[in-house]
Every structure is written in C-alpha cells, then in structure tokens.
Amino acid sequence: MGKRIWVHWVIMALHVVAIVIFTRGFLLTRTELPFYSNCSDVLQSPCSFSVNENQNQNQNDTVDQNQQRCWSKPAIGRLVIIVFDALRFDFVAPSTFFQESKPWMDKLQFVQDLAAKNASSARIFKAIADPPTTSLQRLKGLTTGGLPTFIDVGNSFGAPAIVEDNLIHQLAKNGKRVVMMGDDTWMQLFPNHFEKSFPYPSFNVRDLDTVDNGCIEHLLPFLHQEDWDVLIAHFLGVDHAGHIFGVDSVQMIEKLEQYNSILQKVVEALESQSAPGGLHENTLLLVMGDHGQTINGDHGGGSAEEVETSIFAVSFKNPPSPLPSEFDTSSCGLDLGRRNICFSSIQQLDFAVTVSALLGIPFPFGSIGRVNPQLYALGAGTWHFEDSAGNYQNKSKLEEWMLNYANVLCTNSWQVKRYIDIYSASSVIGFSNEDLLRIASMYAKAEEKWSHATQKLLLHKKESHNELLPALRRQIDLYSEFLASVAELARSKWTEFNLKMMGTGLGIMLISLLIHFLAIKKVKEQYGFSFTSSGDSGISFGLIFSCFMVVIRACSFLSNSFILEEGKVACFLLATTALVKMRYSIMKKKMILEAFVFLLLITICRFTIEVGLSKQAPSSEFMNAYPSWMLRIAAGFPIWNFVAEALPVVALILLAFLLREAITRSSSKGIWKYIIMGTNLSYMLIAVHWASESDRLNLAWVLKGTGRSYIPRLIYAIGFGQLLLLTFNQLFSKRKSSDHSNLLYIKTVAMFSAWSSTIIILLGKQGPWVALAFIIGGYCIMRLDNIELDVKDGGNWNRMLDPVPVTQWSLFAVCLFFCTGHWCAFDGLRYGAAFTGFEEFLLVPQAILLTMDTFGFSLILPIFGVPFLVTRLGQSEKGKKFILMRLSLVYMIYGLIMATSVTATIICVTMHRRHLMVWGLFAPKFVFDVAGLILTDILVCLASHYYFSQVEDDALQDVSTKK
C-alpha cells in the first residue's frame, strides 16, 4: 500500500481517542442513584401528621376503605393513560387560541366539547416538555420525574431498561396492576413491570396504522374488564404521519379525526360505568402527548413547537366545581362555537409525582417535580368552593382539601430535599455549596413554618379557625417556591462535566492538528510543492485567504445564532471565495462564464438553504423535493403538477447522460462501462419507483403490496455490487496506465456512479438536482483553479498548490448538507429515508441508510470526488509525476480543514457548557460534527487506498528518480 496512507490512519486514531475522551467528560449522564422510595420512608419526614386521622374517617371518601394510606391518601382508584405520540398543543386547543387558524386545528372536537360542557371535570393542559424531545427522553422524564440527559438520545433506537426509581416501578411494587399496549419502547424501558402487555414495533415511521390498530383492538375491551388498575395505550400514528407527510397533510388530518372518534368511544365506555358502585366510579382519564413536533413533523430540539404538547384530563367523579382562585392559573377564551374554554399549564416534570400522589403510592426517589395543584384537584374531585359573590361556601371542605394538598407538598418537598442531599453527596460534582445552601435555607424556612405554626393551628383548630386558611396558603406558597427553585437549579446545572477528561480530549485533538500540519509541511517540502505561484517558500494570498475563511467559520460556532444559521454562513463564505475568483478571472480575461455560473449556483443554494431550514415549510415530504413557491404555482396551474413530477426524471436522465459521456470519452474498456450500465439501470428503476408512488399518475397497481420495497432494495444491491466490482478491480487488476490523470478521473467518475443511485433514492426527488449541482459546482471549482495553469507556460506551476479550491470544496460540501434539508439537530434527521425499501425496523441496514441520506452529498461524494481538483494535471507529462502526491496533499488539507472546524466546535461546547442552549443546540452540533469527522477520516482512508494503491509506488519512484 501507499507510503503516505498510514498518516491518515494515525490521524483518525487520534481523532477517535480525543472524541471518546472528550465525550466521556462532556456527555456524562446524570448520576442515577440506586435508591427506591418505600411507604415507610415517609415516617422520617416532618409530614406524617395525619390531621388527627379524620381523613380516614371521611364519609365522603370514594376510595375503598381497605386501601391503606402510603405517602398520600389515594384520590383515584383507576387511571387510564392514552398517549398520542407527538401531540402538538394546537391539535387539542381551539383554533381561536392562536393567531392563525390551520387545517389541522379543531380536529379533536370531542375534547373541546367536553372541556366546554364539563369545565369542572374536564380540563385541557398545555404540557411543557424539557429538551431533548425524543420519545425515549420524554417517557423517561414522565415516569422518573427527572430531567432528561442528552446522551440518552443515542439510545433512542435501542432503549435500555430504566434502572432508577420510576412511576411504573412504584405501581408494580405497590400492587397496582398495569396493562400496556402500543409503542414497544415501554417494554424496553420497563421489561418486567406489566401485568399484561401488547407491544407493537415503533420505528417504522412509514407505517401509520399497525400500532394504532393494535391499541384500538385491546383498549376498548379492557375498559369493561376489572383485572387492571392502570391502563396505558400509546398511539404512534400522528408521530409517524408527521415524520413522513408533515403536519399540514391529509394523512395527519385523517389520523386526528380517527383519534377524535376513538376518544369519543373511550369516554362513552367510561361514563357508562361511572355511576356509584360502577367499575369507573373513581377513574381518571389522561389523554396526553409525550412531546410536540415541528411543522415538518420533526422533534428532538427545544423549539416551542417541539416542547409544547398537551394533557387532557377527565374525572368521572361527581364533580363539585373549579379550584380556589389562588391556585387557578388558567387562561380562558371562546372557541368557534362561542363557548368558554379554559386551559392550564403543567410541566411534564410534575407528571410522575402528581400521578403518584393521586394513586397514593411513594413518589419516585429521583423526582424533582411538584404535585400540580390543578391536575391534583381535578383527580381528587375537590374543585371550587366559592359562590357567585366569592365567598367560600364550605370552609371545612376547603380546609380539608388545602390541608391535604399542603401535606402532599410537604412530603413532596421532603422527598426532593432528600434526593438533592443524597445526589450531591454521591455524585462526583453535584451542585455547588452556594446553591445547596440557598435551597436548604428555603426548605428550612418552609419546614419551620410547618412544624411551628401550621401544625399548631391544626391542633387548636377550633380556636384558630379564621387563621388556618391563610396559614395553609402561605405554607403552600413556601413549598411551591422551594420546588420551583430546585427545578430551575437542576435545569441550569444538572449535567456533570468532567473538565479533566474534556481538557485531555481537547489536548489530543490539538495534537492531531499539529501532526496534520507537520505531515502537510513534510510532503510539501519533500516534493517541492509551494503555496505561491513563484514556487518559493513564502506565504501566498491564497493560503492567507483560505486560513481566514476557515477561522471565520470556526469563530462563528461561538454564537448560538450563527450555529442556527450555519448553512447561510457557509454559503456566504463560499460566495466570498467565488467573488475573489471572479475578480481574478476578469483580470486574466479567462473563465468568466465558469465564475458567473458558480456564483449563480451559490445563489440558488442560498435560497434552497433558506427554504430547507424553515420550519414553516408546507410539509416534510414536499420539502424533500421542491421549494414552497412551486406549491402555489402548482395549485394555480394544474399542468405544473405534471411538470413537477417530470422534472426530477429529466434531471435524472441528464445526470445519466453526463456520467456516460464522462466515462466513454475517457475509456470504453474494462469494467468502467459495466459500472455505468449498472448506474443507468438504477436510474431507470428510481424513475419507476417514483412513478409507482405518485398520487397523480395512479400507478400504484404496478407494484402492489410489498413490491414497492423491491425496487429500492434492488438499487441498493446494484450499488453494492458496483462497489464490490471496483474493489476487486483495485485488488486484482495488474493493468498499468501511463496516464495517471486520466485513470484517476475515470476512477472518480466510477465511484460517483456507484454511490449516486442509492443516495438519490434516499433523498427523494430533490436527489438528481443536488447531484447536478454537485457536478456543476465541482466542475466550476476545478476550472477556476485552472486560471493559474492556463496563464503559465511551463515553469513551476506544477509544483504550486492553491489551497483556495480545497477550501471551496469543503464549504460547498457544507452547503449541500443544508441544501438537502438537513441541519445539526436530531430533528434534522430524515428518519423516513431509513425505511425506503423496508417495512420493518432493522437497526444495522437502516442506520447505514440514514447515514448515507444525511452525509451522502456532504461527505461521501465530496471526499471520493476530491481527485477532480487535481486531474487537470494530465495536460503535462511532468504533471503526471506529481499528481498522486498532490492528491495526497489535497486530502491532508481537506482533512485539516474538517478537523479545525470540529476542534472549534469542541472548544465552543467547552466554553458554553453552562449555556441555556447547550443541550438544545451546542450538544447536537457537537455530535453531528464529531460523527462527521470520524466518517471523514474513514472515507479519506478508504479513498486513499482506492486511488493510490496500484499506481502510487511506481509514480513516487518515478518522482524520486527524476527530481
């Protein structure tokens, strides 16, 4: 193998070591303590005061008297939880609550009807999730009452069982029979906790109905059975419809209408059995989402669309009326029918502890949430004690509820304080002493008032009747303030950072940059290359300009705003380099057309990036193919529907023609013609596949059922076969070529052909256009680099290497990443692409497909296409001798640019580790960049073996003998 390839392997090894060490320090999970709450624990708290046990003698208790009190008095007997995955808040709330009405609003009309007619027993909540908003984090946060940790995102496709204390564990431990149906993620998180379970595979986002139909099949019959206490049904149709079709789609509206019908049947079944003595006399129904979704159907980040979901609570008790005004934070408005509807807000952090309090089980040990007063009051059936004049009608009933809630908050605060103390003592870093002292002071103040004031009033209730209610209100305020402060502290400083490991990783990364630089310097000096046109060792304008571009882009990562606009920044820097090249071409009066075309292409890319990053796009599927303005044209002119279908096929034909011409003009012998034949066949299959999926052409009958999966799989097989053919030719072919430049050119075109068909079908109908943009942009970069070549007539031009084209190539690759609708966030991954050709979830092949879809045009094709920058040297016999070393040097410069950008990202996340957007923005950027760097190193090593292995030694020997 080549003598210089080992450098790339060494650099890759250093990068892997640096990233692993840094990641271990930066993305540490929150320390999960191996402790569990028990009923007896509450005896250690100051909150076991039982109000002279008169609560146990309450004749109005609707809970069976044989139920023993644990941490709180049970308020409900049964709980039905229906989870609609990715349920946006505006799916539930009336459209009149929003500035603009959308087609997907007011589809859950039955929910709004209940909230309007039964305001005292049915309430809409806006539930606020904590990012990251992937399903795993949300289910974990909902059941543990803790904040999610970023590193858990990596487990979203293979969730490990939750080992820390959680709501499901407490339910099973305390004799509650839990039945689950739907999303199989619950089985992965809680493998041995359910009395009965009916899981269905959850990761085939193209399947809108299997999971939902399974839930419907089991949900309604179970509502008439007695062998359960908690029923969980997790529907996935809305989430999958969003991922594939977007929120503004027919499929989404159909799903919401289906859910509306399901809820109507569920409520009817519960109401029919809610009479005194009935099966559901004391049942609470919770209809909720785990997170929201963007207009494109994505989620994972921290935008309002993603973190705002909904909880709809319905109590089937005989309801009194609303909550006392001081605890009611509702917002009200009129719906389309001019009915008054109110909604409240709740943090998802509060869900686990509130449900635990309602069911009378211990709170999860690691929960830091607060028992929500409105949801707790609705479930407990103790609402509104004021008459129309604002006077309390039944003070004893009000006092009983407020005392019960104060006692629950006391237990809640004690549990959170216990957890914070043990966590800080057990974890490596924990919270700072200043923070611990502050929250300890707040808790001590609340506890002192409880022990020395509130309980004394309770013991002398008759003498202090008028003082009890104000005292209870102050007590509740103190506990609420303490719990809110702990939650705020945890959100700002939860994750532990190991600065030593982070510093070590960063140090190794800087060492790798130094080795990279020294390797470039050695090759440059050994073979007489220069960055100046005169061939001396001075610093050229091109080198300074390239360094400036790389440094400017690296510095932009210091700002969260610039990271959000990273695609635009890269496009601006690329346009700046293009303007410099245009100025040079005008001065030399050469290649003005190429300079103009390149600028025009960058302008189109800038427009595409603007549309691709907009979360207000019509739908994710449409965004995969066309800009939004074309939709309006198509709506006004039906002929454009046909044109919109035909244009991607035309682009595909043009792409096939260009590749065929590129090969046949250079060589029509050997395996190259078979590579092109395979690519042409794949392109034809792609066109057939698009036609069969088109709603306008109505050709679905051509490939019925699973037949639609066969074409993509056949294309994958052809592409894999092409790569195998190129590999075998590389290993076993003994043919030597005197024209290294031409051979390098042919091998590059063949490699592009082998990869392109798979990447195009994954990207959808935008694929051929992006491929054409890649070819045109690459051609312009190569030709504009030829300006210096064309104005030189001999001399040292063959030893000159301008780093500007390499910088342009790198920036162009970044632009293509954003042009294809991706961005550095987990909601920027197009999960639907992984199911192209697959109906079921298979981790390895679909991880490969998702990687190819994400990095196909930004890493895979640009790295294998780097030889286009040096093939121009075939015009000179002397250039042939240096072409491979020039290519090696170009690969080193390209790798150094990538490594510098990633190092800047690492420095930025280190500096901003306490930034408000660290988990919502900086951490995803870090994950995408380091994954891209490792993939870049692997591809550079493979490309070096592919391009160098047969001819490098002969060429280098030629160079050394003729120097």
Side-chain angles (χ1 to χ4, degrees), residues 82-86 181-183 211-213 215-216 219 233-239 259 262:
I82 297 178
V83 180
F84 292 147
D85 206 291
M181 56 199 68
D183 186 351
V211 178
D212 289 359
N213 291 340
C215 288
I216 296 169
L219 175 60
H234 191 142
F235 292 75
L236 285 173
V238 161
D239 179 63
Y259 287 176
I262 293 168

Side-chain angles (χ1 to χ4, degrees), residues 873-940:
L873 294 175
Q875 299 177 29
S876 169
E877 178 66 26
K878 191 173 183 181
K880 296 175 187 176
K881 302 173 185 178
F882 287 84
I883 186 170
L884 291 176
M885 290 316 302
R886 289 181 65 92
L887 180 59
S888 177
L889 196 56
V890 167
Y891 268 125
M892 289 182 183
I893 295 174
Y894 186 89
L896 180 61
I897 292 173
M898 288 290 297
T900 301
S901 298
V902 175
T903 304
T905 300
I906 291 175
I907 293 173
C908 291
V909 297
T910 302
M911 295 172 59
H912 294 295
R913 63 188 182 276
R914 295 298 183 189
H915 194 281
L916 178 65
M917 296 295 293
V918 63
W919 303 124
L921 188 64
F922 288 101
K925 168 65 175 169
F926 166 77
V927 171
F928 271 77
D929 277 10
V930 297
L933 179 62
I934 297 301
L935 183 59
T936 297
D937 289 336
I938 293 172
L939 293 174
V940 167

Side-chain angles (χ1 to χ4, degrees), residues 547-615:
C547 292
F548 182 70
M549 292 293 103
V550 173
V551 170
I552 287 294
R553 180 166 182 262
C555 291
S556 70
F557 299 156
L558 288 167
S559 168
N560 60 320
S561 299
F562 279 101
I563 291 179
L564 286 171
E565 306 292 343
E566 182 182 359
K568 299 177 185 178
V569 172
C571 205
F572 172 80
L573 296 177
L574 182 61
T576 303
T577 63
L579 287 172
V580 171
K581 285 290 184 179
M582 172 170 272
R583 175 180 176 276
Y584 196 74
S585 65
I586 293 174
M587 291 174 58
K588 301 296 182 182
K589 298 181 180 180
K590 291 181 180 292
M591 302 180 190
I592 298 177
L593 177 62
E594 285 87 344
F596 176 78
V597 170
F598 191 43
L599 273 175
L600 179 62
L601 180 64
I602 296 171
T603 303
I604 296 173
C605 287
R606 174 64 176 78
F607 173 76
T608 308
I609 291 171
E610 181 75 37
V611 177
L613 290 180
S614 172
K615 294 190 177 184

Side-chain angles (χ1 to χ4, degrees), residues 82-86 181-184 198-202 204-205 207-220 233-242 251-252 254-260 262:
I82 297 178
V83 180
F84 292 147
D85 206 291
M181 56 199 68
D183 186 351
D184 62 354
F198 306 93
Y200 296 89
S202 58
N204 187 357
V205 293
D207 184 354
L208 306 186
D209 300 313
T210 298
V211 178
D212 289 359
N213 291 340
C215 288
I216 296 169
E217 177 185 353
H218 298 287
L219 175 60
L220 294 175
H234 191 142
F235 292 75
L236 285 173
V238 161
D239 179 63
H240 289 184
Q251 291 82 357
M252 178 64 76
E254 290 175 349
K255 270 296 163 188
L256 292 173
E257 291 174 344
Q258 180 190 25
Y259 287 176
N260 187 68
I262 293 168

